[in-house]
């Protein structure tokens, strides 16, 4: 059974940092394009970061570029999202998702319901001012 499990969310003050984890079972993350999405209250779900299969090329939306870093640990079959300089606008439920055959160019910036193959259940990040 394929399962993606996010962890690492919580409450942090503006300017602080969090590292989110996406642990996979039932699939090899290195074989998939992996995206991090977030959904803020009253907003559409948005793809904010992506790492490509095998080569591991990374992409970010402009709003998080320079602050967030996506990475993959193949030995642990886990993808991470390091979030620095957090802002209240970053408050959202963060999801990881996997898709085969897609370029990160179609993941980053995607709005609404994206056609990813597998989704985690999300982890809540709350940034206080």
């Amino acid at each position: 059974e394929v399962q993606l499990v996010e962890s690492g969310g919580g409450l942090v003050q503006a300017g602080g940092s969090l590292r989110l984890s996406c642990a996979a079972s039932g699939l090899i993350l290195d074989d998939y394009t992996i995206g991090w999405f977030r959904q803020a209250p009253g907003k559409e779900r948005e793809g904010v970061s992506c790492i490509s299969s095998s080569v591991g090329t990374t992409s970010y939306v402009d709003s998080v570029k320079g602050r967030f870093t996506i990475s993959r640990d193949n030995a642990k079959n886990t993808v991470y999202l390091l979030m620095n300089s957090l802002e209240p606008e970053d408050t959202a439920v963060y999801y990881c998702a996997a898709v085969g055959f897609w370029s990160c160019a179609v993941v980053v910036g995607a709005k609404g319901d994206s056609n990813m193959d597998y989704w985690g259940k999300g982890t809540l990040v709350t940034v206080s001012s």
Side-chain angles (χ1 to χ4, degrees):
E1 179 180 345
V2 173
Q3 189 172 25
L4 302 177
V5 179
E6 303 97 334
S7 62
L11 176 63
V12 65
Q13 292 186 10
S17 299
L18 286 173
R19 189 179 73 162
L20 306 183
S21 299
C22 175
S25 60
L27 61 79
I28 300 172
L29 285 177
D30 192 46
D31 293 338
Y32 290 81
T33 296
I34 309 299
W36 280 99
F37 295 77
R38 68 185 184 187
Q39 187 164 26
K43 305 291 185 180
E44 290 184 295
R45 187 159 56 186
E46 178 186 22
V48 298
S49 187
C50 180
I51 185 166
S52 67
S53 62
S54 298
V55 175
T57 303
T58 59
S59 301
Y60 308 90
V61 293
D62 288 342
S63 59
V64 309
K65 194 173 297 181
R67 299 189 297 121
F68 291 10
T69 303
I70 190 171
S71 61
R72 182 179 62 229
D73 186 334
N74 290 333
K76 295 181 178 180
N77 206 28
T78 299
V79 168
Y80 303 96
L81 184 68
L82 175 62
M83 305 182 295
N84 293 322
S85 302
L86 283 163
E87 305 167 353
E89 292 76 16
D90 296 317
T91 295
V93 177
Y94 284 73
Y95 304 86
C96 67
V99 65
F101 310 110
W102 282 20
S103 166
C104 279
V106 301
V107 174
V108 172
K111 299 288 188 67
D113 293 332
S114 300
N115 290 321
M116 306 293 283
D117 292 331
Y118 307 104
W119 289 89
K121 293 182 179 180
T123 185
L124 176 63
V125 172
T126 303
V127 184
S128 62
S129 60

